[in-house]
């Protein structure tokens, strides 16, 4: 039986794109499934002078693609209340407190409050300060705050932001959202590793040659141009999504599958990232920027982008983990805009057999070295969700030539359609007080410390941009990065 969750949500930035595209549909799905029933309410705040009726129409419009029963949508929207709010004005928090207390009594919310900061990070500290000073936090029930990325622009700004938040909230009350951690196949990494001895016994430098993480985007910067030009692919994707995935792939088995034990192991993995010296960065990290074509603008021709911008829209890098399990194994990462397609995948490349006893002249499919392709375990995160295992098998017919074959499993379309979207999962986790799939401060800190060195070097050296064509998998230097080690990208585009 579904257990009803009881809480008041206050969404700062309630008129914004994130709220309308992700938060309202996710809350509605929790409502449809019975996790939210009668004992919940939502306050949306922003500067716009909306009425509750107009807000309810915005809610209904945001759910249009779900084709839900209109009566259910109307009943759901009736739990939403709008307050025009200036987050820098203390008096507005007095009004917010009064509305919060009224709704607490009206819906029997038991003092449970979740504050979702869906707006510019420079306001996070101000909001947290006023929530405390105006006594909006409740002494009974729970108080939790959900923070969207970016969590800082570098380590120094991230620490300053964290200090501001922890002046009001304890670490266990802060939920730093990384929506990749809510994806089905990212959560599957732990199941694959720790639920199957066949993999965990091989999950080390004795058997794995290299690991490749690819987050590929087909579109350009679109409406995110202003934000993106102050961030770039390294800060926007590597510091959070990619290093979070890497920590799940490399952490040791936790004592128990609990938030605290998992966090301990993830932090140990991120502490083991080999920091690069400035002289090593040029040979271990590649940056790129997409060029114009006859059909599409280049990055420097995008609206609101400077024609001299040196912001990176592509990053590829070689990451090393200096611990007993992973010493010597390169982790290749890449992400970028305007690439060949939109997908996320992880390729775990195993070492070839030391000796190929099938290495005969009559084997036309042999590779140049010892004739056998490496075994590769592929975790397809999106848009396909599933696994592939590439292994060598005998060719059909006379002789004993070998050829690579694939064993694969994909979640069927019905299961995928009924699977919770990332934000739905994470909002449900926050209601449960489970921060396992959120990032913790030490994880953020070690990620920024690793990325800051690379960014500083790039800021001090002028790149030769643009350097890759849209529809490719990035600049040629990305391929060279692996070839220097005798490796290749598994996915070549």
């Amino acid at each position: 039986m579904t257990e009803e969750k009881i809480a008041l949500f206050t969404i700062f930035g309630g008129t914004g794109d994130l709220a309308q595209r992700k938060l309202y549909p996710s809350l509605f799905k929790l409502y449809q499934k019975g996790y939210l029933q009668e004992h919940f309410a939502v306050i949306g705040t922003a500067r716009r002078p909306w009425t509750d009726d107009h807000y309810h129409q915005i809610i209904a419009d945001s759910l249009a693609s779900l084709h839900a029963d209109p009566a259910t949508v109307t009943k759901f929207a009736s739990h939403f209340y709008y307050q025009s709010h200036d987050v820098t004005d203390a008096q507005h928090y007095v009004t917010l407190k009064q509305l919060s207390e009224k709704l607490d009594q009206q819906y029997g919310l038991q003092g449970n409050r979740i504050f979702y900061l869906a707006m510019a990070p420079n306001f996070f500290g101000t909001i947290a300060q006023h929530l405390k000073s105006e006594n909006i936090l409740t002494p009974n029930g729970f108080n939790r705050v959900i923070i969207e990325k970016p969590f800082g622009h570098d380590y120094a700004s991230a620490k300053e932001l964290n200090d501001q938040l922890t002046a009001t909230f304890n670490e266990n009350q802060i939920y730093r959202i990384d929506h990749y951690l809510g994806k089905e196949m990212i959560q599957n990494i732990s199941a694959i590793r720790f639920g199957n001895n066949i993999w965990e016994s091989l999950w080390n430098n004795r058997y794995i040659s290299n690991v490749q993480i690819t987050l590929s985007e087909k579109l350009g910067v679109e409406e995110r141009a202003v934000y993106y030009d102050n961030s770039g692919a390294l800060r926007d994707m590597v510091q959070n999504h990619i290093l979070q995935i890497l920590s799940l792939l490399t952490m040791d088995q936790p004592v128990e599958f609990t938030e605290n034990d998992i966090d301990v192991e993830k932090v140990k993995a991120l502490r083991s990232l080999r920091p690069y010296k400035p002289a090593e960065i040029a040979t271990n990290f590649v940056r790129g920027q997409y060029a114009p074509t006859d059909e599409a603008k280049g990055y420097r021709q995008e609206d609101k982008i400077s024609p001299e911008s040196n912001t990176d829209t592509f990053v590829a890098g070689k990451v090393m983990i200096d611990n007993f399990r992973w010493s010597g194994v390169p982790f290749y990462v890449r992400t970028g805009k305007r690439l060949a397609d939109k997908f996320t995948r992880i390729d775990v490349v195993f070492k070839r057999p030391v000796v190929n006893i099938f290495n005969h002249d009559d084997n036309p499919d042999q590779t140049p070295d010892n004739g056998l392709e490496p075994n590769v375990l592929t975790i397809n995160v999106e848009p396909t969700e599933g696994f592939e295992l590439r292994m060598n098998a005998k060719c059909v017919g006379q002789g004993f030539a070998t050829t690579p074959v694939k064993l694969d499993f994909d979640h069927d379309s019905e299961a995928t359609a009924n699977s919770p979207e990332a934000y739905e999962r994470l909002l449900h986790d926050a209601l449960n007080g489970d921060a396992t799939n959120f990032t913790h401060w030490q994880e953020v800190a070690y990620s920024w410390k690793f990325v800051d060195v690379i960014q500083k070097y790039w800021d001090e050296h002028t790149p030769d941009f643009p350097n890759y064509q849209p529809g490719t998998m990035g600049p040629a230097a990305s391929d060279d990065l692996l070839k220097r080690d005798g490796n290749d990208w598994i996915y070549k585009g």
Side-chain angles (χ1 to χ4, degrees):
M1 182 177 177
T2 301
E3 181 184 356
E4 180 184 10
K5 306 302 175 184
I6 300 171
L8 169 64
F9 293 86
T10 303
I11 301 175
F12 293 90
T15 64
D17 182 64
L18 173 68
Q20 295 182 49
R21 285 191 308 107
K22 297 295 184 181
L23 302 188
Y24 301 148
S26 295
L27 288 171
F28 182 68
K29 289 176 183 176
L30 292 175
Y31 181 73
Q32 286 182 307
K33 295 173 183 178
Y35 294 111
L36 298 176
Q37 298 177 22
E38 296 304 317
H39 300 286
F40 86 98
V42 180
I43 300 174
T45 77
R47 286 181 175 270
R48 298 178 188 180
W50 286 359
T51 63
D52 284 350
D53 287 342
H54 181 69
Y55 190 35
H56 293 168
Q57 185 58 53
I58 294 296
I59 303 298
D61 292 345
S62 73
L63 306 178
S65 64
L66 302 180
H67 307 292
D69 171 52
T72 303
V73 171
T74 298
K75 188 176 180 182
F76 171 73
S78 71
H79 289 256
F80 284 69
Y81 299 81
Y82 185 78
Q83 180 188 314
S84 182
H85 184 88
D86 178 352
V87 296
T88 64
D89 188 337
Q91 189 59 41
H92 284 207
Y93 289 87
V94 174
T95 308
L96 178 62
K97 180 181 179 182
Q98 292 170 349
L99 178 57
S100 299
E101 291 175 347
K102 173 190 171 186
L103 296 178
D104 198 302
Q105 292 295 317
Q106 181 178 338
Y107 290 96
L109 303 179
Q110 303 175 8
N112 294 336
R113 296 187 179 176
I114 292 179
F115 305 94
Y116 201 117
L117 310 191
M119 56 191 311
N122 55 298
F123 293 116
F124 291 175
T126 300
I127 294 171
Q129 177 187 345
H130 281 98
L131 291 176
K132 182 178 182 179
S133 65
E134 304 308 319
N135 297 312
I136 296 178
L137 304 184
T138 60
N140 57 316
F142 58 71
N143 295 277
R144 298 166 187 156
V145 60
I146 302 177
I147 308 294
E148 277 287 335
K149 76 160 192 159
F151 196 88
H153 191 69
D154 52 19
Y155 172 73
S157 60
K159 185 178 185 306
E160 180 182 6
L161 173 56
N162 197 65
D163 290 345
Q164 292 173 338
L165 291 172
T166 53
T168 298
F169 296 95
N170 298 324
E171 173 64 21
N172 62 9
Q173 295 175 305
I174 302 172
Y175 290 69
R176 302 172 190 84
I177 204 164
D178 182 330
H179 71 276
Y180 268 76
L181 297 182
K183 292 181 181 292
E184 180 70 43
M185 295 308 297
I186 297 300
Q187 294 189 356
N188 240 307
I189 292 172
S190 295
I192 296 166
R193 291 191 53 193
F194 306 126
N196 299 283
N197 192 47
I198 189 174
W199 295 124
E200 184 57 14
S201 60
L202 304 178
W203 212 261
N204 55 63
N205 53 11
R206 294 188 296 281
Y207 299 102
I208 290 179
S209 165
N210 67 88
V211 179
Q212 303 175 15
I213 303 171
T214 303
L215 278 61
S216 174
E217 299 181 87
K218 192 169 186 178
L219 296 177
V221 292
E222 309 302 312
E223 74 281 352
R224 299 177 71 222
V226 174
Y227 160 75
Y228 198 89
D229 204 44
N230 289 310
S231 176
L234 181 67
R235 289 189 176 109
D236 186 49
M237 299 294 283
V238 176
Q239 181 274 328
N240 41 72
H241 305 323
I242 286 180
L243 289 183
Q244 280 294 311
I245 293 171
L246 187 144
S247 71
L248 292 170
L249 290 168
T250 59
M251 71 178 188
D252 286 333
Q253 181 170 314
V255 176
E256 293 185 40
F257 197 74
T258 62
E259 174 190 337
N260 289 338
D261 287 348
I262 291 171
D263 180 43
V264 166
E265 298 304 333
K266 288 173 70 179
V267 168
K268 284 166 59 179
L270 292 169
R271 283 182 62 191
S272 299
L273 293 172
R274 179 186 297 174
Y276 283 121
K277 298 174 183 176
E280 299 172 320
I281 292 170
T283 54
N284 288 287
F285 266 80
V286 172
R287 55 177 161 167
Q289 188 185 91
Y290 59 86
T293 66
D294 293 339
E295 295 78 25
K297 298 176 181 178
Y299 180 74
R300 291 175 174 176
Q301 289 75 48
E302 298 277 12
D303 294 341
K304 301 179 182 178
I305 300 297
S306 165
E308 287 83 35
S309 174
N310 285 324
T311 298
D312 48 287
T313 64
F314 176 92
V315 175
K318 173 182 172 182
V319 181
M320 303 300 293
I321 310 289
D322 288 334
N323 61 23
F324 182 77
R325 180 189 287 261
W326 295 112
S327 179
V329 177
F331 285 75
Y332 301 112
V333 304
R334 62 177 170 173
T335 183
K337 299 284 189 183
R338 293 254 189 243
L339 299 182
D341 210 344
K342 178 176 174 55
F343 64 90
T344 298
R345 61 184 280 164
I346 301 161
D347 295 294
V348 182
V349 184
F350 291 86
K351 293 182 178 179
R352 291 180 172 90
V354 177
V355 177
N356 178 11
I357 63 172
F358 311 111
N359 193 5
H360 302 301
D361 293 338
D362 62 348
N363 192 341
D365 295 324
Q366 289 174 353
T367 53
D369 38 34
N370 75 353
L372 292 173
E373 292 282 356
N375 300 139
V376 181
L377 172 65
T378 298
I379 303 171
N380 289 311
V381 177
E382 59 181 355
T384 303
E385 296 181 354
F387 315 96
E388 293 178 5
L389 175 61
R390 188 175 78 184
M391 56 188 292
N392 295 300
K394 177 186 174 298
C395 294
V396 175
Q398 295 287 354
F400 224 95
T402 59
T403 188
V405 298
K406 284 185 179 180
L407 308 179
D408 57 49
F409 167 81
D410 293 335
H411 289 300
D412 61 54
S413 56
E414 182 178 354
T416 301
N418 293 327
S419 175
E421 194 266 350
Y423 275 88
E424 179 187 343
R425 292 179 194 270
L426 296 175
L427 286 171
H428 182 259
D429 286 349
L431 281 164
N432 283 331
D434 181 1
T436 301
N437 296 309
F438 293 80
T439 58
H440 298 74
W441 165 241
Q442 283 194 302
E443 298 169 36
V444 173
Y446 284 113
S447 297
W448 272 125
K449 287 178 180 179
F450 178 78
V451 163
D452 278 353
V453 179
I454 301 165
Q455 188 65 58
K456 184 175 185 294
Y457 178 86
W458 284 355
D459 289 343
E460 295 170 351
H461 294 78
T462 303
D464 185 17
F465 281 168
N467 62 351
Y468 72 94
Q469 290 294 309
T472 67
M473 285 307 295
S478 171
D479 297 325
D480 297 339
L481 182 69
L482 276 69
K483 290 184 183 300
R484 284 197 295 271
D485 296 333
N487 297 317
D488 289 293
W489 292 107
I490 298 300
Y491 181 90
K492 296 180 174 61

